[in-house]
Amino acid sequence: MAKRVASVDKKRCVACGVCANTCPLAAAKVYHGCYAVVEETVCVGCGKCAKSCPAGCIEMKERTAM
């Protein structure tokens, strides 16, 4: 299991969908057109969504215990 996971700052997210289009495993999705969410159980911590986010609202964090 990856040690990192993407985390979205929902207050800064503009729901553009770039992260969802970039994620190779479809872990990032835009929730009801309001903000992006990342499903931790699917995310492998590659960081592609964080690098592509034009709003800079996605960061990689240490995965919490599951």
Side-chain angles (χ1 to χ4, degrees), residues 4-29:
R4 303 181 317 153
V5 67
S7 176
V8 180
D9 181 347
K10 294 174 186 172
K11 292 179 182 177
R12 291 178 35 215
C13 181
V14 296
C16 66
V18 172
C19 59
N21 292 330
T22 304
C23 181
L25 297 176
K29 294 180 173 51

Side-chain angles (χ1 to χ4, degrees), residues 17-40:
V18 172
C19 59
N21 292 330
T22 304
C23 181
L25 297 176
K29 294 180 173 51
V30 176
Y31 182 74
H32 294 292
C34 298
Y35 52 81
V37 293
V38 175
E39 190 174 336
E40 285 193 27

